[in-house]
Amino acid sequence: MDTAPLAAFALIYGGSGLGKSTDMAATFPGALFVCRPGGMTPAASFLGIGVREIHVRTLEEVIGLIPLAKEHGHDSVVVDDLSLLAESTDRDFEVSGKGARNKFAKYVHLNTLCASLREQGRFVGIHFAANAHERPRGKDAQGRERSGGPKMASWNMAESVVHEASIVLRCTQDASRRDKWKSVYDVGGDGWVGKDRMTAAAARSPQNLRAILTAGGYTLARTPGLEWQDEVVGSVKSKLDSGEDRASLVEALWPKLTGAGLDPRHVAWALRDAFAAHELRQSTANRFRELFDFSTPGASAFGS
């Protein structure tokens, strides 16, 4: 019997260019990133770190590589991006002609790969995360209404890939946010797939998977040499919780930290984590009391 401690299993999906890959690198800097060439460029350009990458085209390659991440000492494995990998796998199957006599053969093959990927992610024993593009809700070939979710080669494949995950979040943008960083994570809702087995995310959370997983009880490693970021996060979060103003904190800390020779990208990363942790705590503080808000129909878990 496998008695390895339960690791995080996260799936993020959303439009291109919203910062999903950057946030994966910020959350799991010690991961093995299984990706396309160029997929993790933001780790260096925006976060100022190097990450370990292995470049792949298909889901078959991913499934074979996931166990190697643990063998080589990585604390996590991140697949970036599932949609492109599924697309290449689908195209290769079509070119091979293997499904010429059976139009369902391709979907059986893809669904089998999807199930294998899910199982590898759940049982690998280290944190597993993946991101994907999004497909809006719509009707399948049988006319059945389907929720929006990860963009995969078929509706069934999109629904299957989320089954093992502990948390499934949709990445979108909220123009009303006062931050320059407008991307957010939604836990489903309004016709979109989503779930949170950890009860850690808000209905709408800041785009910071590290803050969400930390709220769910996980302790995530920092890039070697950047352990000081956790001290900054803890200090800033405490000051925010006590009512201090964000702008004033940045005004005081930025020259102090960058003046000490710290990379501005690393300082910005730590401050962003602190702000996200504070925002998440505020937005979830009354989540259980709100189950009994009878002013809104259906708001209570026990009905009206």
Side-chain angles (χ1 to χ4, degrees):
M1 180 181 296
D2 187 358
T3 58
L6 188 64
F9 187 142
L11 176 61
I12 308 295
Y13 67 92
S16 181
L18 296 183
K20 300 186 301 298
S21 298
T22 303
D23 193 47
M24 287 289 188
T27 303
F28 304 109
L32 175 65
F33 288 86
V34 185
C35 61
R36 309 283 270 232
M40 297 313 301
T41 300
S45 64
F46 190 80
L47 297 175
I49 61 171
V51 296
R52 175 73 188 280
E53 303 177 35
I54 293 185
H55 299 152
V56 296
R57 284 189 62 255
T58 66
L59 293 175
E60 288 97 335
E61 293 175 284
V62 173
I63 292 166
L65 286 170
I66 288 174
L68 297 179
K70 184 176 182 180
E71 291 178 17
H72 287 270
H74 293 278
D75 62 2
S76 45
V77 57
V78 174
V79 180
D80 179 298
D81 139 333
L82 277 178
S83 298
L84 296 178
L85 295 170
E87 181 182 281
S88 294
T89 306
D90 183 11
R91 188 169 59 250
D92 285 359
F93 191 86
E94 291 284 357
V95 171
S96 72
K98 293 178 181 178
R101 295 185 179 182
N102 180 354
K103 66 179 181 179
F104 299 110
K106 177 178 73 171
Y107 298 106
V108 171
H109 176 65
L110 290 171
N111 287 335
T112 298
L113 290 176
C114 188
S116 297
L117 178 69
R118 288 188 345 245
E119 291 178 356
Q120 287 277 27
R122 175 49 76 195
F123 290 103
V124 68
I126 57 178
H127 302 311
F128 177 86
N131 63 45
H133 293 155
E134 73 176 29
R135 169 190 264 175
R137 62 183 174 184
K139 293 183 178 180
D140 63 17
Q142 286 72 46
R144 295 173 297 182
E145 193 69 34
R146 299 290 191 109
S147 296
K151 182 180 180 182
M152 303 296 281
S154 72
W155 287 104
N156 287 339
M157 193 177 184
E159 289 190 353
S160 173
V161 75
V162 305
H163 290 335
E164 296 275 6
S166 299
I167 189 161
V168 179
L169 302 170
R170 179 192 177 219
C171 183
T172 185
Q173 288 198 311
D174 184 349
S176 69
R177 290 177 64 82
R178 60 173 177 163
D179 297 30
K180 291 185 177 180
W181 196 287
K182 303 296 183 183
S183 293
V184 293
Y185 287 144
D186 287 351
V187 185
D190 195 25
W192 294 96
V193 170
K195 65 177 175 178
D196 176 14
R197 289 177 174 170
M198 302 178 298
T199 317
R204 169 156 288 180
S205 301
Q207 188 193 32
N208 194 302
L209 184 58
R210 174 181 283 270
I212 294 169
L213 293 178
T214 299
Y218 290 101
T219 299
L220 301 173
R222 290 285 182 180
T223 300
L226 300 186
E227 294 84 0
W228 58 265
Q229 288 179 317
D230 281 334
E231 183 179 348
V232 172
V233 170
S235 174
V236 172
K237 181 177 177 295
S238 294
K239 291 177 180 179
L240 291 169
D241 290 344
S242 66
E244 291 195 38
D245 177 66
R246 295 198 311 174
S248 299
L249 283 171
V250 172
E251 191 70 22
L253 282 174
W254 189 267
K256 178 180 178 181
L257 295 174
T258 57
L262 299 177
D263 190 322
R265 293 172 294 184
H266 301 159
V267 175
W269 178 0
L271 291 174
R272 179 171 166 261
D273 285 352
F275 293 157
H278 170 69
E279 180 183 340
L280 188 63
R281 178 172 178 172
Q282 283 192 315
S283 58
T284 59
N286 295 315
R287 72 186 326 153
F288 294 108
R289 173 64 181 88
E290 290 167 358
L291 292 173
F292 304 96
D293 178 6
F294 302 112
S295 61
T296 303
S300 169
F302 302 103
S304 59

